[in-house]
Amino acid sequence: MSAKSSLLNYACPMPRMDHEFVVLGHGSGGLLTYRLLDQFVFKALGSDSMKAAHDGALLNLSGKIAFTTDSFVVSPVFFPGGNIGDLAVNGTVNDLAMCGAIPESLSLSFILEEGLRMEEFWIILQSIKRACGEAGVEIVTGDTKVVEKGKGDQIFINTTGIGKLHHGANIHPQNIRKGDRIIASGCIATHGVAVLSVREGLTFETSLKSDSAPLHDVVLPMLDEYKCDVHLLRDPTRGGVASALNEVARSCGLGIQIDESALPLEDEVKGACEMLGLDPLYVANEGIFLAIVEGSQVDAMLELLHKLPKGQRAAVIGEVTEDHPGQVVLEGSVGGRRVVNMLTGDQLPRIC
Amino acid sequence: MSAKSSLLNYACPMPRMDHEFVVLGHGSGGLLTYRLLDQFVFKALGSDSMKAAHDGALLNLSGKIAFTTDSFVVSPVFFPGGNIGDLAVNGTVNDLAMCGAIPESLSLSFILEEGLRMEEFWIILQSIKRACGEAGVEIVTGDTKVVEKGKGDQIFINTTGIGKLHHGANIHPQNIRKGDRIIASGCIATHGVAVLSVREGLTFETSLKSDSAPLHDVVLPMLDEYKCDVHLLRDPTRGGVASALNEVARSCGLGIQIDESALPLEDEVKGACEMLGLDPLYVANEGIFLAIVEGSQVDAMLELLHKLPKGQRAAVIGEVTEDHPGQVVLEGSVGGRRVVNMLTGDQLPRIC
């Protein structure tokens, strides 16, 4: 598979292990577990505190912290632009950033399926390490379980994160008011379409790649500069922009109006959505966020975002209104208005 | 199944849901996810902070905290004495206690298999709530994913916990010295044998029940009274007492000698182990801990433990020696000595 083989040049050579595949004994808590951790997982992650941690890690913390958890079950495990390992790190880093926090420490818990290739596990571990380096976070404690073949799907990962709240952050739906503007930090629907393109066998026709990335380096400069004028931040992952904005509208009791022609969208993603019959508003994102911000500051914020590598395609996509409270309404690019509901059914299962 | 039906009298009536079984759409991030959380999960757990939490929870913390994670994949999900829900809460509460911390906040992440009965999920949620109440912890943030039928096994749960370090705690393998004594806080092998008895269809022949329980209320009084004379605490879960003590011996570089005749063991567990060909030293525990303590204080500590409901069967099972560094040696009850190694292979998969 091309997505995987491009990752085979991993930085650190894989240690020689007795087993080519994960076996149930690797989850026994006995000798094989000990060896898997000591000679493989800790080697890949190179985390001293994880190695020292017996049943948990000790951290020195003070003040307000954010605490967030996510389990990752993406299928396929390897996709263009990433794999379940970096996705799991970036996903939790981003959940912390959405709380207005500076990501610091992660826990890492694996559920491995018997028969997972050690080499694939090694690549995933390498991706985890690289993603942690990029986001400036450390894995401080972990767990590894193994389930029988047919009782899992290669690998599931839980990452749970701790971050220190940014001094200027005051992120809450209650802060949203009429006239607030909605920013999308980048092009929508890229991650979901990239994962789906592998499943549908479209990889050779497109160069689409997931945009999965840590976003704290976009969020924190906004908070440094605009503090509590950033009213809410949202990660439009599963359910896409439409579901995330519906949740926002419900929780603040106001209406949201979005402008179809303003939605930033790569041509290739647009084309793939048309081919696959997907509405990009409902496709999962892993490399962008939505910010609901004080209206009078939106131009200045956009200018800041455009200077950042991950914010170049940032756009104002809508605003908060007192009309249609609790609802999201789309102004069509060729005229007309329609209510945009939450995703119903399961358009794209296991996208993260 | 008797283990499950005995739990059917749940405290809080199950809300009426459109689906009798979990469907993929419950993990879509859209309307079905929203309803599952709002009308089912949050109703069962009754946790306001979880409901308010968007992408994470905000906590006020100061000082040294412990941070620990565990994924639970026990099979069967319902077993005599508990289910995966209370096991997941107790397991993480105990990992925090083993760090010398006072358990405070948990995250809760589900991986549900398509087709899981809503009623079973409700029972598990009720057990989680009850276990949190008993341990005095709060679920503050969570996540729910759904995988296709055949890609999971009913339900997997990750719990990640935060606790405040006890002021008197100084728990580290480096503190262990020659002459330290080893206490088992209660009877060994009970949980593993109870789970296995269901798998092997022995439930009608025995009244064996898992002893899964929160242990902070045994650990904290020890730390209140004996502080840094408690050198190390260990939860002998997967791999059992033998694997846990081998890890201890390796990490402190000293030898450990245990006395077979001193091992506390229920007659019924002993009988079941003989019938199933299991060595109780390798069977998983969820309701006891091991403490390596200052030798001169061991009698006083034992007296304290015997006064606590969960410590009545506490016993001194061995001591730390300079002989055979890194190894665990058993003095047989009928004479003779043998080296006890870490569990090799997979005697009892998916016991927690």
Side-chain angles (χ1 to χ4, degrees):
Chain A
M1 187 194 298
S2 65
K4 201 167 63 195
S5 56
S6 68
L7 284 162
L8 275 169
N9 293 323
Y10 27 78
C12 177
M14 187 171 96
R16 192 185 295 271
M17 296 291 284
D18 289 341
H19 296 83
E20 192 183 343
F21 302 96
V22 168
V23 298
L24 282 176
H26 285 126
S28 68
L31 192 64
L32 288 180
T33 306
Y34 181 85
R35 283 195 191 143
L36 180 72
L37 296 179
D38 196 57
Q39 295 165 21
F40 203 80
V41 176
F42 297 156
K43 275 243 158 55
L45 300 178
S47 170
D48 287 340
S49 55
M50 198 174 175
K51 202 164 172 173
H54 30 104
D55 286 313
L58 297 185
L59 305 173
N60 262 311
L61 290 175
S62 64
K64 270 215 158 157
I65 69 140
F67 180 46
T68 171
T69 191
D70 231 330
S71 286
F72 293 83
V73 298
V74 65
S75 169
V77 162
F78 295 89
F79 49 81
N83 64 55
I84 193 169
D86 42 53
L87 188 70
V89 173
N90 293 339
T92 291
V93 161
N94 291 346
D95 280 347
L96 290 170
M98 295 306 110
C99 298
I102 303 150
E104 288 188 357
S105 304
L106 298 188
S107 67
L108 177 67
S109 178
F110 297 112
I111 298 174
L112 308 178
E113 186 191 14
E114 180 187 20
L116 173 71
R117 287 187 75 89
M118 281 292 176
E119 193 176 36
E120 297 196 349
F121 190 28
W122 185 253
I123 298 170
I124 291 165
L125 287 165
Q126 296 282 307
S127 301
I128 289 170
K129 189 189 177 182
R130 198 165 41 233
C132 284
E134 270 175 44
V137 295
E138 201 187 352
I139 307 277
V140 294
T141 189
D143 181 46
T144 305
K145 294 292 194 306
V146 181
V147 296
E148 299 90 339
K149 199 159 182 62
K151 300 293 184 185
D153 196 9
Q154 296 187 281
I155 179 169
F156 300 142
I157 302 180
N158 177 281
T159 43
T160 301
I162 286 180
K164 197 171 210 157
L165 205 67
H166 185 282
H167 64 94
N170 182 12
I171 310 284
H172 202 283
Q174 284 174 349
N175 300 334
I176 299 175
R177 60 204 66 173
K178 180 190 166 188
D180 278 4
R181 306 293 291 276
I182 297 153
I183 295 175
S185 73
C187 288
I188 71 169
T190 311
H191 171 75
V193 167
V195 174
L196 204 70
S197 70
V198 194
R199 280 199 226 156
E200 303 289 326
L202 303 177
T203 36
F204 299 107
E205 296 170 38
T206 75
S207 57
L208 267 177
K209 276 167 61 174
S210 166
D211 58 352
S212 163
L215 296 169
H216 66 296
D217 52 1
V218 190
V219 169
L220 298 176
M222 275 179 84
L223 292 174
D224 286 344
E225 192 78 18
Y226 298 100
K227 302 183 176 69
C228 60
D229 283 339
V230 179
H231 293 164
L232 194 74
L233 296 167
R234 273 294 162 98
D235 210 10
T237 57
R238 287 180 294 169
V241 169
S243 301
L245 289 180
N246 265 281
E247 265 189 64
V248 172
R250 284 179 197 213
S251 57
C252 71
L254 292 164
I256 287 177
Q257 187 174 309
I258 48 177
D259 177 1
E260 190 171 17
S261 63
L263 292 170
L265 192 61
E266 300 278 4
D267 286 342
E268 215 167 3
V269 173
K270 196 177 173 190
C273 281
E274 283 165 3
M275 197 190 319
L276 297 166
L278 297 173
D279 182 341
L281 280 174
Y282 291 101
V283 176
N285 303 279
E286 290 289 342
I288 63 154
F289 63 90
L290 303 174
I292 293 102
V293 305
E294 173 63 37
S296 61
Q297 300 286 350
V298 74
D299 292 335
M301 286 196 208
L302 212 56
E303 202 176 314
L304 170 69
L305 288 171
H306 287 159
K307 286 183 194 148
L308 301 171
K310 292 173 196 162
Q312 308 211 337
R313 295 290 303 269
V316 179
I317 64 165
E319 68 180 304
V320 176
T321 165
E322 281 178 340
D323 305 338
H324 49 80
Q327 280 194 322
V328 179
V329 169
L330 180 85
E331 295 267 357
S333 51
V334 291
R337 289 160 58 95
R338 64 175 171 93
V339 173
V340 173
N341 290 310
M342 272 197 173
L343 174 64
T344 50
D346 52 332
Q347 191 187 23
L348 290 172
R350 299 185 56 192
I351 217 75
C352 61
Chain B
M1 186 194 298
S2 66
K4 201 167 63 196
S5 56
S6 69
L7 283 163
L8 274 168
N9 293 323
Y10 28 79
C12 176
M14 186 172 96
R16 193 185 293 272
M17 295 291 285
D18 289 343
H19 295 82
E20 193 183 342
F21 303 95
V22 168
V23 298
L24 282 176
H26 285 127
S28 68
L31 191 65
L32 287 181
T33 305
Y34 181 85
R35 283 196 190 142
L36 181 71
L37 296 178
D38 195 58
Q39 295 165 22
F40 202 80
V41 177
F42 297 156
K43 275 240 158 58
L45 300 178
S47 169
D48 288 341
S49 56
M50 198 175 175
K51 203 164 174 173
H54 32 104
D55 285 314
L58 296 185
L59 306 172
N60 263 312
L61 290 175
S62 64
K64 270 217 156 153
I65 69 140
F67 179 46
T68 170
T69 191
D70 230 329
S71 286
F72 293 84
V73 299
V74 65
S75 170
V77 162
F78 295 90
F79 49 81
N83 63 56
I84 194 170
D86 42 54
L87 188 71
V89 173
N90 293 339
T92 291
V93 161
N94 291 346
D95 280 348
L96 290 170
M98 295 308 109
C99 297
I102 303 151
E104 287 187 359
S105 303
L106 298 187
S107 67
L108 177 68
S109 180
F110 296 112
I111 298 174
L112 308 178
E113 186 191 15
E114 180 187 19
L116 174 70
R117 288 186 75 88
M118 282 292 177
E119 193 177 36
E120 298 196 347
F121 190 28
W122 185 253
I123 298 170
I124 291 165
L125 287 165
Q126 296 281 307
S127 301
I128 289 170
K129 190 188 176 184
R130 199 166 39 234
C132 284
E134 269 175 45
V137 294
E138 200 187 354
I139 307 278
V140 294
T141 189
D143 181 46
T144 303
K145 293 292 194 305
V146 180
V147 296
E148 300 90 339
K149 200 161 181 59
K151 300 293 184 184
D153 196 9
Q154 296 187 279
I155 179 169
F156 300 144
I157 302 181
N158 177 280
T159 43
T160 301
I162 287 179
K164 196 171 208 157
L165 204 68
H166 185 282
H167 63 94
N170 182 13
I171 310 284
H172 202 284
Q174 284 175 350
N175 300 334
I176 298 175
R177 62 204 65 175
K178 178 190 166 189
D180 278 3
R181 306 293 291 276
I182 297 154
I183 295 174
S185 73
C187 287
I188 70 169
T190 311
H191 171 75
V193 167
V195 174
L196 204 72
S197 70
V198 193
R199 281 199 223 153
E200 302 289 327
L202 302 178
T203 36
F204 299 108
E205 296 170 39
T206 75
S207 57
L208 267 177
K209 277 167 63 174
S210 166
D211 58 351
S212 162
L215 296 170
H216 67 296
D217 53 0
V218 191
V219 169
L220 299 177
M222 275 179 83
L223 292 174
D224 286 343
E225 193 77 18
Y226 297 101
K227 302 183 177 68
C228 60
D229 283 339
V230 179
H231 293 164
L232 194 74
L233 295 167
R234 272 296 161 98
D235 211 10
T237 57
R238 288 181 294 170
V241 169
S243 301
L245 289 179
N246 266 280
E247 265 188 66
V248 172
R250 283 178 198 213
S251 57
C252 71
L254 292 164
I256 287 177
Q257 187 174 311
I258 47 177
D259 177 0
E260 190 172 19
S261 63
L263 291 170
L265 191 61
E266 299 278 5
D267 287 342
E268 216 167 1
V269 173
K270 196 177 172 189
C273 281
E274 282 166 5
M275 198 190 318
L276 297 165
L278 298 173
D279 182 340
L281 280 173
Y282 292 101
V283 176
N285 303 278
E286 289 289 343
I288 64 155
F289 63 90
L290 303 174
I292 292 100
V293 304
E294 172 62 36
S296 61
Q297 299 287 351
V298 73
D299 293 333
M301 286 196 207
L302 212 56
E303 202 176 317
L304 170 69
L305 287 171
H306 287 160
K307 286 184 194 147
L308 300 171
K310 293 173 196 161
Q312 307 211 336
R313 296 289 304 267
V316 178
I317 64 167
E319 69 181 302
V320 176
T321 164
E322 281 179 340
D323 305 338
H324 50 81
Q327 281 194 322
V328 179
V329 169
L330 180 85
E331 295 268 356
S333 51
V334 291
R337 289 159 60 95
R338 65 176 171 94
V339 173
V340 174
N341 290 309
M342 272 197 173
L343 174 65
T344 50
D346 51 334
Q347 190 186 24
L348 290 171
R350 297 183 59 192
I351 217 75
C352 61

